[in-house]
């Protein structure tokens, strides 16, 4: 039994020695060898991150600590990538790594309608950091100015500004498409600015979307209301006391293009049966003085005190038809 006790004691002593050696290795790997070192802001980043998650319950304070943690992490990675093996042929990767991390932070912090700022400012931030590094490394003010005026640095700056302008132009085009979605109904495969991998279809036109939503609203009313209420709604539509277009836009949301679509409804009343025709006409700019409109015909009738709605397919105005009604040979 004494032998077993000695074996256990030796194993515990060996385990303690191994833990002590491992602790020394971990401390050597984590602790910075000097104050100005990339590991110093990394440790501060880890400490602030743990503090914001575990110890702070106030949301504004937690957000502030998270931002400070992320900024210290950016500083750490910037210092790390400014030395070997992240220096390729004398060029440090630090400006681009730092700008990417700042861009990620901006993507998290900016509101959803301002996310493009992170992309547009990324290349500019990289150039600014590169200029700061070159000025910091220069021995005199005259040498720092000459460093920034060299053709190589000017070329790098212009390339980054070009990338920033392309990002800005991309988001500008996307903003236009969001406000004028009917653009996507055209054939854009030859466009140099809009990238699409889908075939052009009229289903993307805003006029078609509005007509389909109007039909969907009618179908929902027919399912949930008795015939008398549906009939009264149709009468109100005919007398322009009820605008079906406004109900459709409540579900689709309003974009700038909607102001350019003239939506009209006409109703022909029969015996327990109504013929409803909906037409959406584009009033905006076109390449030629032609009509660009869509038409959908629906029939609403009563069966056992319930309304039934049947609608045909959407028909587009004949391509090339002029506004005076005469046919043409051109395409909108």
């Amino acid at each position: 039994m004494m032998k077993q006790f000695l074996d256990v004691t030796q194993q515990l002593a060996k385990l303690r020695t191994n833990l002590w050696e491992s602790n020394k290795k971990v401390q050597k790997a984590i602790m910075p060898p000097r104050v100005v070192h990339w590991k110093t802001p990394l440790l501060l980043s880890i400490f602030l991150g743990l503090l914001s998650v575990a110890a702070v319950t106030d949301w504004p304070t937690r957000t502030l600590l998270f931002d400070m943690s992320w900024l210290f992490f950016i500083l750490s990675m910037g210092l790390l990538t400014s030395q070997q093996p992240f220096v390729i042929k004398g060029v440090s990767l630090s400006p681009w790594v730092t700008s990417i991390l700042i861009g990620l932070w901006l993507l998290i912090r900016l509101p959803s309608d301002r996310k493009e700022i992170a992309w547009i400012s990324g290349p500019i931030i990289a150039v600014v950091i590169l200029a700061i590094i070159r000025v910091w490394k220069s021995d005199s003010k005259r040498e720092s100015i000459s460093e920034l005026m060299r053709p190589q640095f000017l070329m790098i700056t212009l390339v980054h500004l070009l990338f920033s302008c392309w990002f800005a132009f991309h988001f500008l085009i996307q903003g236009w498409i969001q406000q004028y979605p009917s653009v996507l109904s055209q054939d854009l495969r030859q466009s140099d600015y809009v990238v699409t991998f889908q075939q052009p279809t009229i289903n993307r036109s805003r006029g078609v979307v509005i007509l389909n939503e109007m039909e969907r609203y009618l179908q929902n009313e027919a399912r949930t209301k008795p015939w008398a209420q549906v009939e009264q709604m149709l009468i109100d539509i005919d007398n322009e006391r009820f605008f079906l277009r406004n109900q459709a836009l409540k579900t689709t949301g309003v974009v700038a293009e909607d102001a350019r679509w003239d939506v009209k409804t006409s109703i022909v009343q029969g015996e327990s049966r109504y013929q409803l025709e909906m037409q959406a006409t584009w009033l905006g700019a076109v390449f030629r003085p032609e009509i660009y409109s869509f038409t959908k015909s629906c029939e609403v009738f009563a069966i056992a005190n319930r309304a039934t709605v049947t609608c045909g397919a959407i028909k587009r105005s004949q391509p090339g038809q002029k506004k005076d009604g005469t046919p043409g040979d051109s395409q909108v």
Side-chain angles (χ1 to χ4, degrees):
M1 187 169 179
M2 181 61 68
K3 183 179 180 182
Q4 293 177 350
F5 176 77
L6 292 175
D7 291 340
V8 171
T9 304
Q10 290 177 357
Q11 291 178 2
L12 291 175
K14 186 177 180 180
L15 178 61
R16 186 184 64 179
T17 303
N18 292 336
L19 291 175
W20 180 255
E21 293 295 329
S22 300
N23 183 45
K24 290 173 61 177
K25 291 180 180 179
V26 170
Q27 288 185 3
K28 184 178 180 180
I30 294 179
M31 295 302 294
R34 55 187 182 277
V35 176
V36 182
H37 194 267
W38 67 269
K39 293 181 181 179
T40 304
L42 180 61
L43 290 176
L44 291 174
S45 172
I46 295 173
F47 172 74
L48 291 174
L50 294 175
L51 187 64
S52 65
V53 173
V56 179
T57 57
D58 181 60
W59 182 255
T61 305
R62 175 179 291 185
T63 303
L64 177 62
L65 291 175
F66 171 79
D67 291 340
M68 293 178 62
S69 173
W70 188 257
L71 292 177
F72 275 118
F73 178 75
I74 293 173
L75 178 61
S76 173
M77 293 299 102
L79 293 174
L80 174 63
T81 53
S82 64
Q83 56 192 14
Q84 295 294 343
F86 302 101
V87 179
I88 303 175
K89 294 184 178 181
V91 178
S92 170
L93 298 181
S94 179
W96 295 277
V97 173
T98 305
S99 65
I100 290 173
L101 293 175
I102 293 176
L104 291 175
W105 177 69
L106 290 175
L107 285 175
I108 297 173
R109 302 299 298 140
L110 289 173
S112 58
D113 57 341
R114 292 291 183 267
K115 299 291 186 184
E116 63 271 13
I117 295 177
W119 292 90
I120 297 172
S121 62
I124 299 176
I125 293 173
V127 170
V128 171
I129 295 175
L130 182 60
I132 293 174
I133 292 176
R134 295 203 172 187
V135 171
W136 184 270
K137 289 184 177 180
S138 60
D139 296 330
S140 62
K141 183 177 181 181
R142 179 179 298 178
E143 184 180 349
S144 64
I145 295 175
S146 62
E147 276 287 330
L148 300 182
M149 296 302 295
R150 287 184 179 180
Q152 182 183 7
F153 182 79
L154 292 177
M155 183 62 67
I156 293 174
T157 302
L158 292 176
V159 169
H160 283 71
L161 288 176
L162 179 62
F163 276 110
S164 183
C165 290
W166 271 110
F167 283 136
F169 185 68
H170 165 77
F171 288 108
L172 177 64
I173 293 293
Q174 292 301 118
W176 285 349
I177 290 176
Q178 289 178 2
Q179 293 299 318
Y180 297 90
S182 292
V183 173
L184 294 176
S185 66
Q186 307 299 317
D187 190 355
L188 302 175
R189 287 173 294 179
Q190 302 299 321
S191 174
D192 294 328
Y193 308 110
V194 181
V195 179
T196 178
F197 300 98
Q198 299 181 8
Q199 295 290 333
T201 172
I202 65 171
N203 292 331
R204 293 186 175 188
S205 174
R206 185 65 177 177
V208 173
V209 172
I210 294 174
L211 293 183
N212 286 333
E213 287 299 324
M214 291 168 67
E215 177 191 356
R216 190 173 292 110
Y217 180 83
L218 281 174
Q219 297 282 3
N220 184 65
E221 292 294 297
R223 286 193 303 267
T224 57
K225 293 183 178 180
W227 166 251
Q229 295 185 20
V230 175
E231 185 180 27
Q232 184 61 47
M233 180 187 68
L234 294 173
I235 294 173
D236 290 340
I237 291 174
D238 191 31
N239 295 328
E240 296 186 354
R241 291 195 298 264
F242 182 84
F243 296 98
L244 196 56
R245 171 185 179 272
N246 296 344
Q247 295 298 324
L249 292 179
K250 286 181 180 180
T251 57
T252 61
V254 179
V255 296
E257 183 182 337
D258 293 339
R260 297 293 184 177
W261 284 100
D262 179 32
V263 181
K264 295 181 178 179
T265 55
S266 61
I267 295 179
V268 178
Q269 182 178 359
E271 185 177 350
S272 299
R273 188 178 296 268
Y274 290 81
Q275 295 286 343
L276 172 63
E277 184 172 283
M278 303 177 292
Q279 184 180 45
T281 304
W282 174 248
L283 301 180
V286 292
F287 293 113
R288 298 176 181 88
E290 301 169 348
I291 296 175
Y292 184 67
S293 64
F294 299 98
T295 305
K296 178 185 281 285
S297 298
C298 298
E299 187 176 26
V300 186
F301 52 92
I303 297 179
N305 197 33
R306 305 296 296 184
T308 301
V309 179
T310 58
C311 296
I314 289 181
K315 297 180 180 179
R316 179 187 165 180
S317 58
Q318 185 178 359
Q321 183 179 359
K322 298 182 180 180
K323 292 186 177 181
D324 57 4
T326 59
D329 55 355
S330 61
Q331 192 81 13
V332 176

